[in-house]
Amino acid sequence: QVQLVESGGGLVQPGESLRLSCTTTGNIDRLGTMGWYRQVTGKQRELVATISRGGSTNYADSVKGRFIISRDRAKNMVYLQMNSLKPEDTAVYFCNGVYTDPRPPWGQGTQVTVSS
């Protein structure tokens, strides 16, 4: 089974930056395209960025131009560089395989709070 551990969140002011990290362990050969998701309390989990095995990336309109997803295949890690953060980015952020079936268990996520 795949284990996913997110880290790097915190409390920042609008306009500041954070870099989130996702550590993947276990049967990671099941993972292809990886994604970062976020979830606000009481709302559905939202996919904000993806990266394929070949390095192709896609972003939700809400984060285009501000967030950068990357991965290190050798270290089995995925990153999300978050720049120009806005209060609307406040959420718990998760990583997971996008197309892996069945989906691996969700990690605990990491809280990002953008507030002044």
Side-chain angles (χ1 to χ4, degrees):
Q1 181 61 274
V2 173
Q3 294 182 203
L4 303 161
V5 179
E6 302 91 349
S7 62
L11 173 63
V12 297
Q13 295 183 353
E16 295 184 341
S17 298
L18 285 171
R19 190 181 78 157
L20 307 183
S21 297
C22 171
T23 302
T24 68
T25 58
N27 192 21
I28 52 88
D29 60 333
R30 298 184 63 239
L31 298 172
T33 296
M34 292 292 295
W36 280 97
Y37 301 75
R38 66 188 181 188
Q39 186 170 31
V40 178
T41 301
K43 308 199 77 172
Q44 293 185 30
R45 208 185 309 261
E46 172 191 26
L47 181 63
V48 299
T50 67
I51 184 165
S52 72
R53 278 194 165 104
S56 297
T57 59
N58 283 287
Y59 300 92
D61 288 342
S62 58
V63 307
K64 282 181 180 176
R66 300 188 297 119
F67 291 8
I68 302 294
I69 187 172
S70 61
R71 73 193 300 172
D72 186 330
R73 298 297 302 276
K75 296 181 179 179
N76 299 317
M77 297 192 70
V78 186
Y79 305 97
L80 186 67
Q81 179 67 43
M82 310 166 68
N83 300 316
S84 302
L85 282 162
K86 303 175 179 180
E88 306 93 275
D89 297 318
T90 296
V92 179
Y93 284 73
F94 303 85
C95 61
N96 213 329
V98 176
Y99 305 115
T100 303
D101 187 14
R103 177 109 62 188
W106 297 97
Q108 287 289 102
T110 185
Q111 175 71 49
V112 172
T113 302
V114 185
S115 178
S116 59

